[in-house]
Amino acid sequence: MKLSNSSQYAIRILTYITIQNESLINAFKLSQTLQIPYKFLTKIMTALVKADLVESTRGREGGFRLKKEASKIKVDDILNIFNDNMKKEECLLGIGQCDTHCKCALHDQWMEPKLLLQKMFRESNLEAISKKATKV
Amino acid sequence: MKLSNSSQYAIRILTYITIQNESLINAFKLSQTLQIPYKFLTKIMTALVKADLVESTRGREGGFRLKKEASKIKVDDILNIFNDNMKKEECLLGIGQCDTHCKCALHDQWMEPKLLLQKMFRESNLEAISKKATKV
DNA sequence: AATTAATACCACCTTTAAGTAGTAATTAAA
DNA sequence: TTTAATTACTACTTAAAGGTGGTATTAATT
Ligand code: SF4
Ligand code: SF4
């Protein structure tokens, strides 16, 4: 019942970049500040670049910045990259394909938290959540 | 954002045993009915026996039955076996040790679904949920 | 032009979850 | 007492996530 490390890291990275609001932040700084293993972090950054959430500048004095406005990047966009988002049909017991008539033992109780999680992921954007964070 | 296969299987197994309410059900029957790989299922059953949720009878005509009343077995008890329960300090972004003053970017939105999930796991018992299930 | 500091890429290693195989122990039935 | 049907135990294999290492590429500085 948790997000993958990649997703957790990615959200923290992007939140931090949003808060800093500098022209460019490099991987070493991110790795140090957020305590994420450098090599793993660069792997994640490459994924964020490929997903068009971040743009990179190579070479000396290079680094990363957001590619869109922070308000346009939703948590869901981040989770999608690592296949870690809460899908409409997200299933708690792994039987799948159920509805209100054909349902598993936990269906009823699962619907409410599931919807809240979907809502949180789909409606939260980086600008909004980065304002709330008091630590990254 | 999902339970482990072991937890999913275990909940389905125990729900099915509760619904059947037979004196003994054997692993082959469970495996067939619930479409769970036989060898993996027997491994899970051993864990359930060791956790005292189920008792077994070995040898010919043997099988499994609940060791306590269904109403006394909570979903949380099952998840605990596979270390898959929602702990009080369960953390979404992996920073840990936060409160309302020192919190991550998603803390506020995470509290509500987290509490609902805790509630679901801690307050649901096998008797109640097995009545709701229309499929296992 | 050479050096340095950065990202990109590719291949590998490690750990954990998921699943499989074989055999021993147990018990009822034949 | 033998056989068949069952759970228990131990060890292995596979797949996926998490993480590391080395080198190529890029670009500003010297
Ligand atoms: S009812 Fe249960 S098994 Fe069916 S899709 Fe929903 S969570 Fe999964
Ligand atoms: S505030 Fe965020 S990082 Fe801190 S414990 Fe809660 S979920 Fe984890």
Side-chain angles (χ1 to χ4, degrees), chain A residues 62-75:
Chain A
F64 302 95
R65 72 163 69 91
L66 297 188
K67 190 160 179 182
K68 320 176 184 182
E69 290 172 42
S71 63
K72 296 272 171 57
I73 299 178
K74 290 175 301 238
V75 173

Side-chain angles (χ1 to χ4, degrees), chain A residues 89-98 103-104 107 110-111:
Chain A
E89 69 278 12
E90 190 78 16
C91 177
L92 189 61
L93 294 191
I95 314 178
Q97 290 291 2
C98 310
K103 65 190 187 184
C104 74
H107 175 92
W110 171 232
M111 286 303 109

Side-chain angles (χ1 to χ4, degrees), chain B residues 29-54:
Chain B
K29 171 104 180 278
L30 289 169
S31 166
Q32 292 282 303
T33 311
L34 301 173
Q35 296 276 76
I36 299 170
Y38 178 78
K39 278 296 199 177
F40 195 27
L41 180 133
T42 58
K43 202 179 205 175
I44 292 168
M45 294 317 292
T46 301
L48 296 179
V49 169
K50 287 209 170 132
D52 268 344
L53 300 189
V54 161

Side-chain angles (χ1 to χ4, degrees), chain B residues 2 4-6 9 37 39-40 43 57-61:
Chain B
K2 61 187 275 296
S4 67
N5 286 12
S6 296
Y9 288 155
K39 278 296 199 177
F40 195 27
K43 202 179 205 175
T57 306
R58 290 167 74 154
R60 196 164 175 163
E61 305 288 294

Side-chain angles (χ1 to χ4, degrees), chain A residues 118-134:
Chain A
Q118 284 180 341
K119 197 174 151 74
M120 148 160 95
F121 293 154
R122 290 217 272 261
E123 298 180 4
S124 299
N125 65 70
L126 275 185
E127 187 186 37
I129 68 173
S130 66
K131 280 181 186 157
K132 293 187 171 190
T134 59

